[in-house]
């Protein structure tokens, strides 16, 4: 989804001019205020996910009809939903689902992209043509529709969602890596390695891949946000994580009724805001990474 | 047209075959078999098992998979997309009923995103680092990251429930159906569907225009004494607009995903809602038809984007 190269923000360009040559990655990254804020938010989110049981939460699936639709209170920090489940607990545990869905599917997609993109870019010819045409075909079919179709075959649940988003999410990254490899393999140092008798394997792993990695790292970061959004959309539509298991998308699904929507904002505002903030944070990190990983690109 | 376009045109049949292959592979993963979905369920009701077996034979269901693919493809080519299991109606009829609403929704959404994105992108790029730029850039970031379903819920809550300006769902008020009525129903879904696109087009436009403003031909235009507005509009903006055509083309698949969500929330009977219902009832023939149709629609729209680019860019000529 969010795989396209994102334009550079002006503040980031201004920041780069101040960066000394030879500054470390972190020194360059640090200059992007929003990227640092995004990183801080993600660290907090991971903390929330990991330490969910110890952060004032109760069993997120525990229903209590007497406590149905309670507004926020001392006992239920963010109130309760229709079945009397504690919103704060659900919000915290759902962070696990979102992070696993985002990172897990990105890992699957990246592994496929690295394998196919390397083969395509390095060998070229018929194999390359074939892989690229398959990529074209998959890219024709709208992401959400084909992922929904696959989930409808595999069945709902976290693992199936991770698989569905992962096995269909490699196309953009494969193209990026292939293009990058095509550029890198014409570089002098690759020719030099070839002249000095390095094997194909060595050239590939020692020279070409490490130098082709920046775009896929940035695209991978951004696609975590895309996958989190996809999982939320699926769960919102009722195909992903099913109740009583908590997921931000599924929590928003609880507000599909107009009365809930108007009268109980505490059941749908928090998960919506969490999705928005998480996507924003990851996009800022991706932007910051892009600028700090490849400063040369911006100096032109 | 240019050589590039010719190559693109030649690739289309190949991609269409690819989409059908993928679709056929998908349906083979599902329970039931694709060719039996081609039979009219109303016909099947009165048949005894022997007749059904004969019909299977006739349709070639007992043949190897490659032959079945060819049979299936021939049926598709004649417009027989199979029969919906849940609604026992031809898939083509169900899709045809939905396509109009989806095309109106998506078409208007593209226009809105383009206008808003380009306009605010220009305003932002003309005064980089000003507070206006800062405000608009932040808005664009939020627009890109906003989950459309969350935004849709906020819109319904504010625009329909609290202010009462717009209806909460549907496409017409029963008994009405005038143009104003239809437009009123479109406002909230369109805003919800256009937010991501507007944000991302704005970011591309801003970045593109800032880059173009440093080009030699802009300096030349200024040096020969052209007015500032004329430099911006006829030299810089025109060139910065070109990549936006490609960006718009690339947005289409994402827009389909957005349409699925928005049509479901606002209960708009389009392809997206039909697909969601099909997934809910495990109506595989309908799902397949939807994949095929949306795939081909994306293909056509990306071709239109390529042609538009070639027309807009005077450098692409032979």
């Amino acid at each position: 989804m969010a795989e396209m190269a994102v334009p550079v923000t002006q503040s980031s360009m201004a920041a780069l001019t101040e960066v000394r040559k030879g500054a470390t990655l972190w020194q360059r990254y640090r200059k992007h205020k929003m990227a640092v804020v995004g990183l801080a938010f993600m660290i907090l989110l991971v903390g929330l996910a990991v330490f969910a049981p110890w952060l004032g939460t109760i069993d997120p699936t525990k229903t209590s009809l007497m406590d149905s639709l309670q507004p926020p209170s001392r006992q239920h920090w963010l109130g309760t939903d229709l079945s009397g489940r504690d919103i704060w607990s659900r919000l915290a545990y759902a962070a696990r689902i979102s992070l696993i869905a985002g990172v897990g599917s990105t890992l699957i997609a990246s592994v496929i992209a690295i394998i196919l993109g390397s083969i395509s870019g390095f060998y070229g010819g018929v194999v390359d043509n074939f892989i690229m045409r398959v990529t074209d075909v998959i890219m024709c079919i709208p992401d959400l529709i084909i992922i929904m179709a696959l989930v409808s075959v595999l069945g709902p649940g976290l693992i199936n969602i991770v698989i569905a988003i992962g096995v269909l999410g490699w196309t953009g990254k494969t193209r990026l890596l292939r293009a990058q490899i095509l550029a890198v393999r014409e570089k002098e140092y690759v020719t030099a390695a070839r002249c000095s008798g390095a094997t194909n394997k060595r050239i590939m792993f020692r020279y070409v891949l490490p130098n082709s990695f920046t775009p896929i790292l940035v695209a991978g970061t951004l696609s975590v946000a895309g996958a989190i959004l996809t999982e939320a959309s699926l769960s919102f539509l009722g195909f992903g994580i099913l109740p009583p298991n908590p997921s931000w998308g599924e929590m928003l699904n609880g507000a599909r009724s107009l009365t809930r929507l108007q009268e109980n904002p505490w059941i749908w505002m928090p998960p919506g805001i969490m999705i928005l903030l998480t996507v924003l944070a990851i996009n800022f990190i991706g932007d910051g990474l892009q600028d700090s990983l490849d400063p040369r690109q911006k100096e032109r | 047209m240019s050589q590039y376009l010719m190559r693109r045109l030649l690739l289309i049949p190949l991609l269409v075959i690819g989409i059908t292959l993928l679709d056929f592979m998908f349906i083979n993963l599902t329970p039931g078999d694709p060719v039996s979905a081609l039979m009219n369920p109303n016909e099947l009701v009165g048949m005894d098992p022997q007749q059904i077996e004969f019909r299977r034979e006739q349709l070639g269901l007992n043949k190897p998979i490659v032959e079945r693919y060819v049979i299936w493809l021939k049926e598709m080519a004649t417009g027989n997309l199979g029969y919906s299991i849940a609604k026992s109606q031809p898939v083509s009829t169900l899709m045809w009923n939905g396509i109009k609403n989806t095309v109106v929704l998506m078409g208007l959404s593209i226009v809105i995103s383009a206008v808003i994105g380009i306009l605010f992108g220009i305003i932002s790029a003309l005064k980089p680092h000003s507070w206006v730029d800062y405000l608009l850039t932040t808005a664009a970031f939020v627009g890109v990251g906003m989950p459309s379903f969350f935004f849709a819920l906020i819109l319904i809550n504010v625009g329909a429930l609290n202010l009462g300006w717009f209806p909460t769902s549907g496409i017409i008020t029963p008994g009405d159906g005038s143009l104003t009525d239809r437009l009123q129903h479109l406002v909230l879904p369109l805003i919800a569907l256009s937010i991501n696109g507007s944000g991302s087009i704005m970011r591309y436009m801003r970045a593109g225009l800032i880059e173009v403003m440093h080009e030699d031909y802009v300096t030349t235009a200024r040096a020969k004494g052209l007015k500032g507005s004329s430099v911006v509009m006829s030299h810089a903006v025109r060139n910065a607009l070109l990549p936006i055509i490609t960006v718009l083309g690339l947005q289409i698949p994402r827009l389909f995903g957005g349409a699925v969500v928005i049509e479901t929330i606002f209960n708009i009977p389009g392809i997206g809602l039909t697909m969601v219902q099909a997934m809910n009832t495990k109506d595989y023939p309908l799902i397949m038809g939807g994949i095929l149709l949306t795939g081909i629609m994306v293909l056509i729209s990306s071709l239109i984007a390529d042609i538009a680019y070639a027309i807009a860019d005077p450098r692409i000529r032979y």
Side-chain angles (χ1 to χ4, degrees):
Chain A
M1 290 196 146
E3 269 159 9
M4 281 178 285
V6 177
V8 192
T9 57
Q10 192 61 29
S11 59
S12 63
M13 288 179 66
L16 275 164
T17 53
E18 300 162 18
V19 177
R20 285 169 296 115
K21 280 241 164 70
T24 64
L25 179 64
W26 171 244
Q27 275 170 335
R28 275 180 267 137
Y29 185 87
R30 209 171 54 176
K31 302 273 179 191
H32 304 269
K33 267 182 237 133
M34 290 319 284
V36 175
V37 174
L39 190 63
F41 178 84
M42 287 313 287
I43 292 171
L44 283 178
L45 189 68
V46 172
L48 179 66
V50 172
F51 300 110
W54 299 281
L55 295 170
T57 59
I58 55 169
D59 178 2
T61 60
K62 192 178 140 254
T63 58
S64 154
L65 288 179
M66 267 173 20
D67 292 328
S68 173
L69 295 174
Q70 295 290 312
S73 64
R74 188 177 274 271
Q75 196 194 352
H76 298 289
W77 296 352
L78 293 175
T80 59
D81 65 8
L82 187 62
S83 321
R85 293 176 296 220
D86 183 55
I87 304 270
W88 163 247
S89 307
R90 293 179 71 70
L91 203 66
Y93 279 93
R96 295 183 170 182
I97 303 283
S98 286
L99 288 173
I100 292 173
V103 176
S105 59
T106 298
L107 284 180
I108 295 178
S110 302
V111 169
I112 301 177
I114 290 170
I115 295 172
L116 292 182
S118 314
I119 295 175
S120 211
F122 200 71
Y123 291 105
V126 187
V127 190
D128 172 38
N129 218 328
F130 178 75
I131 293 176
M132 282 302 109
R133 294 298 81 79
V134 172
T135 312
D136 286 342
V137 168
I138 296 181
M139 281 182 127
C140 273
I141 300 166
D143 290 27
L144 193 66
I145 288 183
I146 194 165
I147 291 170
M148 266 165 64
L150 191 55
V151 171
S152 80
V153 177
L154 296 174
L158 182 58
I159 303 283
N160 290 343
I161 288 174
V162 170
I163 293 173
I165 301 176
V167 297
L168 294 166
W170 48 268
T171 49
K173 286 186 274 287
T174 304
R175 273 193 182 172
L176 265 177
L177 184 63
R178 169 183 174 271
Q180 188 71 11
I181 287 178
L182 285 182
V184 169
R185 103 188 158 157
E186 303 303 323
K187 292 268 158 76
E188 291 85 350
Y189 53 79
V190 174
T191 318
R194 191 164 284 134
C195 291
S196 58
T199 60
N200 268 350
K201 200 173 129 199
R202 188 176 158 78
I203 293 175
M204 190 67 205
F205 287 100
R206 182 99 171 82
Y207 300 97
V208 178
L209 266 185
N211 284 301
S212 313
F213 234 68
T214 306
I216 203 167
L217 195 64
V218 174
T221 308
L222 295 175
S223 82
V224 172
I228 288 177
L229 264 179
T230 306
E231 182 276 319
S233 308
L234 285 174
S235 299
F236 176 75
L237 292 171
F239 296 110
I241 308 294
L242 301 183
N245 298 319
S247 141
W248 293 337
E250 183 272 318
M251 291 170 79
L252 275 155
N253 192 1
R256 290 280 296 281
S257 121
L258 295 179
T259 358
R260 295 291 89 72
L261 188 62
Q262 197 174 19
E263 288 169 11
N264 316 106
W266 62 84
I267 69 173
W268 60 276
M269 287 301 279
I273 292 169
M274 285 305 275
I275 302 172
L276 174 62
L277 290 180
T278 308
V279 171
L280 279 180
I282 298 173
N283 284 348
F284 282 130
I285 294 176
D287 261 23
L289 264 184
Q290 174 150 37
D291 292 349
S292 41
L293 280 171
D294 200 359
R296 279 165 304 173
Q297 209 178 11
K298 301 291 132 33
E299 278 169 1
R300 270 185 291 149
Chain B
M1 279 295 153
S2 65
Q3 224 178 351
Y4 170 72
L5 270 186
M6 277 311 289
R7 273 224 316 269
R8 284 278 299 163
L9 274 173
L10 289 175
L11 209 58
I12 299 257
L14 191 71
L15 289 180
V16 172
I17 291 176
I19 294 173
T20 61
L21 251 172
L22 190 74
D23 211 15
F24 187 75
M25 265 161 53
F26 165 73
I27 206 70
N28 274 295
L29 287 175
T30 64
D33 66 285
V35 184
S36 71
L38 295 173
M39 291 193 259
N40 186 341
N42 298 326
E43 259 175 56
L44 283 177
V45 175
M47 284 202 253
D48 58 59
Q50 241 180 338
Q51 275 175 302
I52 295 178
E53 195 45 47
F54 176 72
R55 193 94 171 84
R56 282 178 70 88
E57 194 72 44
Q58 203 183 11
L59 276 168
L61 281 187
N62 307 330
K63 302 231 169 80
I65 190 155
V66 180
E67 267 180 75
R68 273 189 289 160
Y69 169 66
V70 175
I71 294 167
W72 177 79
L73 206 57
K74 272 186 196 154
E75 289 291 318
M76 296 283 134
T78 58
N80 178 9
L81 294 177
Y83 287 84
S84 153
I85 299 168
K87 302 188 177 174
S88 37
Q89 268 181 301
V91 169
S92 48
T93 314
L94 291 168
M95 284 294 154
W96 188 245
N97 292 341
I99 210 168
K100 198 182 70 187
N101 289 321
T102 304
V103 167
V104 168
L105 194 65
M106 285 181 41
L108 287 176
S109 170
I110 292 174
V111 174
I112 291 172
S113 324
V115 170
I116 294 181
I118 290 169
L119 201 67
F120 288 160
I122 294 175
I123 296 174
S124 208
L126 288 185
K127 289 203 170 119
H129 301 301
S130 63
W131 65 270
V132 183
D133 175 37
Y134 190 73
L135 194 77
L136 288 175
T137 313
T138 314
F141 247 112
V142 174
V144 172
M146 180 65 87
S148 57
F149 47 96
F150 179 48
F151 194 53
L153 292 180
I154 297 176
L155 287 174
I156 295 177
N157 195 18
V158 176
L161 296 176
N162 290 345
L163 296 172
W165 291 351
F166 304 105
T168 52
S169 65
I171 49 168
I172 52 168
T173 320
D176 201 332
S178 58
L179 189 66
T180 12
D181 181 50
R182 284 171 189 274
L183 287 177
Q184 265 194 325
H185 280 83
L186 268 173
V187 173
L188 296 185
L190 273 178
I191 300 176
L193 190 57
S194 308
I195 181 153
N196 297 146
S198 309
S200 87
I201 288 168
M202 202 203 117
R203 296 190 65 199
Y204 280 102
M205 188 67 201
R206 180 186 179 280
L209 190 54
I210 286 177
E211 208 179 306
V212 167
M213 292 299 277
H214 294 296
E215 292 283 346
D216 292 343
Y217 52 78
V218 173
T219 317
T220 310
R222 276 195 214 285
K224 72 182 183 190
L226 285 183
K227 270 193 307 193
S229 60
S230 151
V231 172
V232 170
M233 291 329 262
S234 54
H235 289 81
V237 170
R238 273 188 71 176
N239 283 292
L241 275 177
L242 282 175
I244 299 294
I245 297 174
T246 312
V247 173
L248 280 174
L250 289 173
Q251 297 259 327
I252 307 270
R254 266 186 87 182
L255 208 54
F256 261 110
V260 169
V261 175
I262 296 301
E263 285 177 11
T264 311
I265 296 178
F266 288 95
N267 204 17
I268 295 169
I271 297 180
L273 185 60
T274 311
M275 291 292 282
V276 169
Q277 287 167 346
M279 313 256 179
N280 269 326
T281 49
K282 304 237 175 240
D283 193 343
Y284 293 115
L286 194 52
I287 299 176
M288 269 177 92
I291 292 181
L292 193 67
L293 195 68
T294 48
I296 289 172
M297 282 169 79
V298 169
L299 203 58
I300 293 171
S301 37
S302 67
L303 185 71
I304 293 174
D306 281 343
I307 293 173
Y309 192 98
I311 293 172
D313 191 345
R315 282 167 298 193
I316 302 186
R317 289 280 186 276
Y318 41 170

